[in-house]
């Protein structure tokens, strides 16, 4: 029995975290998860007032999805503009490569979000942090830059802070008693959870955000799948994007077809990450008793997929009969339309 050539599963939430005041992070770059050449990801949690410090990424844009809690981000635009936005469960953010940003948990409960980066080499341990920079810059330069004297400069951190904890911001927009997610799209925020989904009765629902709905997101797109018990996200592939998956809830079987007789089939549960390389065939089946919820990030601004059912439906019966070596009457029973999600098989059918 041959062993799998590689695994397309990484047990992210079982990995050793990086801890700091107010924050916890677990990351998966191509170093931890060798299959994930094109996309890296991070699961981060911030307590109330916990802050991921001001930083930027030289080699990746950041696409995020909030699973629970709320947080505030601030971001500097290269044209001198800026934005501050609050995020709630179901919201997505996008920060272009190189733009400086920070994130603070608004409490009262922990904020948990998934960060997805359009570069498998990306690591949260190699971000450009403002305290790392300041602590290695000559004090006289800092004094000149900040308008402080040298004693004051001496109070700055002596190394990278990464996580900091302080009071939760108190201006009125952050202490709204309703905690209702803002319904409108902002420059850096897209309320994916509020979107009317594509529905296949008995199969599942899909919400997708691309550059068409969220114009700043010029290098990435994302999708949220909820698949019913026994339901299948059918066999398909993406011609122009790698796919990075975070299993939020439930249990799945996910299989990656790599050509040359190689298919890798693995089981996934909440907290696991999956990866389907650009062009590789794959499916996701809900094998648990409850709903399966999967967050998917793509390193492409648009969502494009080729469904096996669509391909079969668009070929003449005699072509299919010859290709598959089956009688024409069997070929005629093949799908007549694209399915996307396929409900659990009815017993006896
Ligand atoms: Mn970041
Ligand atoms: Mn896919």
């Amino acid at each position: 029995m041959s062993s799998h050539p590689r695994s397309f599963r990484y047990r992210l939430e079982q990995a050793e975290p990086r801890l700091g005041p107010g924050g916890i992070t677990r990351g998966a770059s191509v170093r931890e998860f060798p299959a994930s050449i094109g996309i890296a990801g991070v699961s981060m949690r911030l307590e109330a007032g916990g802050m991921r410090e001001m930083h930027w990424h030289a080699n990746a844009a950041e696409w995020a999805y909030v699973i629970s809690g709320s947080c505030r981000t601030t971001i500097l635009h290269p044209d001198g503009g800026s934005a501050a936005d609050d995020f709630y469960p179901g919201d997505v953010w996008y920060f272009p490569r190189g733009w400086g940003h920070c994130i603070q948990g608004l409490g009262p409960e922990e904020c948990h979000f998934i960060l997805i980066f359009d570069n498998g080499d990306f690591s949260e341990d190699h971000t450009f942090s403002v305290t790392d920079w300041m602590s290695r810059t000559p004090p006289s330069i800092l004094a000149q830059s900040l308008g402080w004297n040298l004693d004051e400069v001496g109070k700055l951190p002596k190394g990278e802070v990464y996580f900091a904890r302080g009071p939760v911001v108190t201006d009125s927009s952050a202490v709204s008693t309703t905690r209702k997610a803002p319904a409108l799209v902002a420059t850096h925020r897209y309320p994916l959870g509020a979107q009317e989904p594509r529905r296949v009765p008995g199969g599942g629902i899909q919400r997708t955000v691309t550059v068409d709905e969220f114009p700043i997101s010029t290098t990435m797109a994302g999708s949220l799948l909820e698949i019913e018990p026994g339901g299948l996200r059918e066999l398909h592939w993406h011609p122009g994007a790698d796919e990075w998956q975070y299993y939020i809830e439930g249990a799945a079987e996910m299989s990656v077809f790599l050509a040359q007789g190689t298919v890798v089939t693995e089981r996934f549960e909440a907290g696991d990450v999956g990866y389907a390389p650009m062009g590789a065939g794959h499916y996701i089946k809900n094998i648990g008793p409850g709903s399966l919820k999967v967050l998917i990030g793509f390193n492409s601004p648009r969502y494009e997929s080729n469904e096996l059912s669509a391909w079969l439906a668009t070929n003449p019966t005699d072509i299919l009969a010859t290709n598959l070596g089956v009688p024409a009457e069997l070929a005629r029973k093949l799908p007549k339309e694209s399915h996307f999600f396929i409900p659990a098989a009815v017993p006896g059918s």
Side-chain angles (χ1 to χ4, degrees), residues 143-313:
Q144 186 176 358
S145 298
L146 307 179
W148 288 1
N149 63 41
L150 288 173
D151 282 347
E152 291 163 339
V153 166
K155 298 184 194 307
L156 286 168
K158 301 296 182 251
E160 185 185 21
V161 164
Y162 195 87
F163 282 130
R165 183 167 41 200
V168 175
V169 285
T170 52
D171 62 272
S172 58
S173 64
V175 292
S176 141
T177 50
T178 59
R179 290 276 174 200
K180 199 172 179 304
L184 297 176
V185 178
T187 302
H188 296 283
R189 185 190 65 237
Y190 183 83
L192 182 60
Q195 186 186 75
E196 191 56 40
R198 171 209 295 251
R199 275 178 207 281
V200 175
I205 63 173
Q206 180 205 29
R207 293 183 167 90
T208 298
V209 55
T210 72
V211 69
D212 296 330
E213 300 85 27
F214 191 29
I216 187 105
S217 178
T218 55
T219 66
M220 300 179 75
S223 213
L224 189 66
L225 306 184
E226 293 173 52
I227 306 176
E228 296 195 21
L232 179 69
R233 170 68 181 100
E234 69 159 302
L235 280 72
H236 69 282
W237 72 98
H238 305 285
D242 298 304
E243 168 172 332
W244 191 96
Q245 308 159 345
Y246 180 87
Y247 288 81
I248 298 174
E249 188 184 300
E253 175 180 295
M254 201 275 287
S255 180
V256 179
F257 168 52
L258 299 164
Q260 300 182 282
T262 306
V263 170
V264 180
T265 304
E266 293 167 287
R267 292 187 164 211
F268 295 74
E269 51 194 58
D272 289 344
V273 165
Y275 192 81
M278 186 186 301
H282 54 284
Y283 67 79
I284 303 173
K285 182 175 170 69
N286 183 350
I287 59 170
S291 176
L292 172 70
K293 203 166 174 183
V294 191
L295 176 70
I296 296 177
F298 300 97
N299 51 0
S300 160
R302 290 206 157 71
Y303 183 89
E304 289 181 335
S305 65
N306 291 322
E307 273 65 44
L308 180 62
S309 62
W311 203 11
L312 296 171

Side-chain angles (χ1 to χ4, degrees), residues 18 21 52-54 127-137 142 153-164:
R18 176 173 180 166
R52 172 69 179 93
E53 77 157 297
M54 296 160 74
T127 58
F128 290 73
S129 295
V130 70
T131 54
D132 188 16
W133 196 10
M134 287 181 171
S135 63
R136 270 88 180 167
T137 298
L142 281 183
V153 166
K155 298 184 194 307
L156 286 168
K158 301 296 182 251
E160 185 185 21
V161 164
Y162 195 87
F163 282 130

